[in-house]
Amino acid sequence: MMNTGKDILYASKVILEGKLVAFPTETVYGLGANGFDPEAVVRIFEAKKRPSFDPLILHIGNIGDLEKVYEKPIPKLVTDLAARYWPGPLTIVGRKSSLVPDVVTSGLPTVGVRMPGHKIALELLKLAGVPIAAPSANLFGRLSPTKSAHVREQLAHVDYIIEGGKSTIGIESTIVAVIDKTIEILRPGAITANQIKIDFPGIEVRVSNTEDHIQAPGQLKSHYSPVKPLYLVDKEPDVLPDNAGLIVFEPESLTGNYNNRVAILSKKGDLIEGASKMFAALHDFEADINVKVIYAIKVREEGIGVAIMDRLKKGAFRFSDKSADI
Ligand code: TXA
Ligand code: MG
């Protein structure tokens, strides 16, 4: 049985003993270890079955910790991004300091850093007093967890799980790299490219084309994947097999009267609400023995729709050789 509870002080001690703590953030649950303790960090890779070439991000609880994790001088654009969006769902990749062990960054000279906007996560970070390395608390390549039960379903080797209810955003942070004086978006999230352009007029904001080059395994074509086939469809299917589950973000367009399991993620068709429930709906269908195949109706790639479609396409990719025609 795994150890789940709300004792943040205890959790901070577990971290300082070099063990693993799963904790809630506003994006998804993280699987944390002391980011300055290489042996503890190795345990994360083992628990997730994550390949060692896939770097981890560090979480900090104080803006003063920026100096510990990034090489000095820290570019002004990095501190400006942090000031604008932290605590919040933005991970900033910059040159790492010598204090950050190579195992965290998989040998890269850069490190991703985020100050989460979640009370429990911030308190844990403050009590532990060290940066916490934390990927999403799922097995490598699988669905991200948005509640503690999702963590227990996938991970057997976690020393303590902090119970913190549902993640409110429900989709992983936006990752940006600051390169010279430009911002490159490596992973779309709740903070959109448009938002960053509005907030940083005059700064070039590029969206990296994941087809051209792979900068990070989060940019691999297959990721965030359920164990059952996931197919993306343009509109409501005319006929749905009995053993199918259907994920709907925008129910206005829905006309069918199905016997099937239909997960309507937002009655109003609000994509921010839909994003927050997407991984939970996929987890539910993954666990439902009556569901053998999952369909999701695509959304427009605008605003948070970009992040939703990024996760859905990667989740569906390994099934894309088979036909989605029904
Ligand atoms: O919202 C989030 O970011 C969550 C919560 C727990 O904070 N964390 C998370 O971590 O999603 P993870 O490891 O599942 O995804 C981080 C991604 C990975 O795809 C990794 O390859 C990429 O960030 N990454 C880490 N360090 C990087 C670096 N130095 N350069 C480029 N990409 C990096
Ligand atoms: Mg992940």
Side-chain angles (χ1 to χ4, degrees):
M1 244 335 267
M2 248 188 251
N3 208 354
T4 304
K6 294 191 172 176
D7 193 341
I8 306 173
L9 181 61
Y10 172 73
S12 71
K13 290 176 183 159
V14 173
I15 290 282
L16 293 176
E17 280 171 15
K19 295 183 184 161
L20 301 182
V21 171
F23 61 97
T25 85
E26 79 280 29
T27 57
V28 298
Y29 274 66
L31 179 65
N34 181 349
F36 283 165
D37 177 347
E39 281 177 37
V41 169
V42 168
R43 293 208 172 101
I44 295 179
F45 286 92
E46 286 170 354
K48 275 186 65 99
K49 300 193 168 67
R50 178 167 172 130
S52 58
F53 61 75
D54 188 359
L56 305 179
I57 65 171
L58 290 178
H59 297 70
I60 60 173
N62 288 298
I63 203 76
D65 288 347
L66 274 187
E67 309 254 312
K68 296 185 192 155
V69 294
Y70 289 131
E71 178 188 86
K72 283 179 262 187
I74 301 172
K76 185 173 179 304
L77 191 48
V78 170
T79 48
D80 286 350
L81 282 162
R84 173 64 185 81
Y85 299 115
W86 287 356
L90 185 78
T91 296
I92 308 170
V93 173
R95 292 193 70 82
K96 81 173 191 75
S97 84
S98 55
L99 288 175
V100 177
D102 286 330
V103 61
V104 170
T105 64
S106 302
L108 291 177
T110 56
V111 63
V113 182
R114 173 164 111 83
M115 186 190 289
H118 191 291
K119 247 182 94 181
I120 293 175
L122 284 172
E123 197 177 333
L124 175 68
L125 286 160
K126 282 177 187 153
L127 289 170
V130 291
I132 295 183
S136 51
N138 51 277
L139 288 170
F140 181 70
R142 298 269 302 273
L143 298 173
S144 293
T146 55
K147 55 185 186 184
S148 65
H150 296 155
V151 180
R152 284 191 294 278
E153 278 159 23
Q154 288 194 20
L155 298 181
H157 303 287
V158 183
D159 297 293
Y160 190 66
I161 300 176
I162 308 180
E163 176 54 61
K166 289 181 188 163
S167 295
T168 50
I169 293 176
I171 211 158
E172 304 82 352
S173 61
T174 305
I175 302 181
V176 295
V178 171
I179 299 160
D180 298 323
K181 294 212 158 62
T182 68
I183 298 171
E184 181 165 4
I185 298 184
L186 302 181
R187 177 173 74 183
I191 295 172
T192 62
N194 256 347
Q195 184 67 49
I196 297 173
K197 283 179 191 159
I198 291 166
D199 293 338
F200 290 85
I203 303 279
E204 188 191 340
V205 179
R206 275 179 289 136
V207 178
S208 75
N209 183 350
T210 56
E211 316 284 295
D212 290 350
H213 59 285
I214 290 169
Q215 288 231 359
Q219 296 179 303
L220 293 174
K221 283 184 181 168
S222 178
H223 216 80
Y224 313 108
S225 190
V227 291
K228 296 174 183 175
L230 169 65
Y231 297 121
L232 307 188
V233 291
D234 290 318
K235 56 176 180 52
E236 168 189 17
D238 294 331
V239 191
L240 205 58
D242 286 341
N243 61 5
L246 178 66
I247 291 188
V248 181
F249 288 85
E250 295 160 307
E252 309 90 88
S253 60
L254 208 61
T255 55
N257 183 13
Y258 301 116
N259 298 320
N260 300 78
R261 288 154 189 80
V262 180
I264 293 175
L265 303 190
S266 167
K267 284 192 180 131
K268 299 175 291 203
D270 173 359
L271 290 188
I272 291 176
E273 183 185 1
S276 76
K277 296 180 177 164
M278 177 181 72
F279 278 122
L282 288 165
H283 277 281
D284 287 347
F285 282 147
E286 193 174 64
D288 185 336
I289 54 161
N290 296 312
V291 171
K292 300 279 186 276
V293 48
I294 306 165
Y295 292 87
I297 304 178
K298 294 177 193 169
V299 300
R300 267 194 301 160
E301 293 184 65
E302 271 175 30
I304 196 158
V306 177
I308 291 172
M309 286 302 295
D310 172 71
R311 306 309 190 272
L312 286 177
K313 283 182 198 165
K314 286 174 181 158
F317 183 75
R318 65 194 183 93
F319 308 109
S320 57
D321 54 330
K322 297 173 198 119
S323 170
D325 295 339
I326 46 170

